[in-house]
Amino acid sequence: MKKITSKAEFDVLTQSSNLTVAVFKADWCVDCRFIDPFMPEVEQEFSQLLTLIEVDVEQTGDLSQEQNILGIPSFVAYADGRELIRFVNKNRKSREEIVEFLKRAVEVYQTLRS
């Protein structure tokens, strides 16, 4: 997963016409570290359909506030600079929940493209 450390980098990737899913995280976040072991496999599973990027909320200034990220990890899908769908809650996210969210993000994206 490409790590984003600036708002400019985030803007470039989310302005793309391709589906980009930002994972807002921080090093100190226990629930963020919980997903680390299985995320490479999940990313590989969806590699032909979307791009996953990791946004470090500590290194990107006010970006998480601008994106209304109130808890981490949070998953937000973008295309053409617009938010399509988000998976944000206070609970620890399981692999199954993340996979289901990514499937839904692909469905929303494909619906908008047709």
Side-chain angles (χ1 to χ4, degrees):
M1 204 174 343
K2 180 173 175 56
K3 291 188 180 192
I4 305 305
T5 58
S6 73
K7 183 180 181 330
E9 206 175 4
F10 174 85
D11 289 344
V12 166
L13 290 167
T14 58
Q15 294 291 330
S16 168
S17 61
N18 297 324
L19 178 58
T20 301
V21 176
V23 183
F24 291 85
K25 298 174 64 182
D27 289 339
W28 51 262
C29 168
V30 174
D31 289 341
C32 299
R33 288 196 309 266
F34 173 79
I35 69 172
D36 286 344
F38 59 78
M39 282 307 295
E41 291 174 8
V42 171
E43 183 176 20
Q44 182 62 35
E45 182 180 336
F46 286 88
S47 64
Q48 300 300 311
L49 302 170
L50 56 84
T51 300
L52 278 166
I53 60 174
E54 181 179 322
V55 181
D56 187 316
V57 298
E58 296 292 324
Q59 294 182 354
T60 53
D62 295 333
L63 179 62
S64 58
Q65 188 174 16
E66 290 170 16
Q67 296 299 312
N68 200 28
I69 303 301
L70 302 174
I72 53 175
S74 290
F75 294 75
V76 184
Y78 301 88
D80 300 315
R82 292 186 8 231
E83 179 181 324
L84 305 181
I85 186 173
R86 65 175 44 212
F87 178 29
V88 179
N89 62 37
K90 294 178 184 174
N91 302 326
R92 177 175 278 182
K93 282 123 182 107
S94 70
R95 179 184 182 134
E96 294 76 23
E97 290 172 319
I98 294 167
V99 166
E100 285 307 309
F101 168 76
L102 295 176
K103 287 178 181 176
R104 181 76 181 116
V106 169
E107 288 173 10
V108 170
Y109 174 76
Q110 290 174 340
T111 300
L112 292 173
R113 292 282 177 234
S114 54

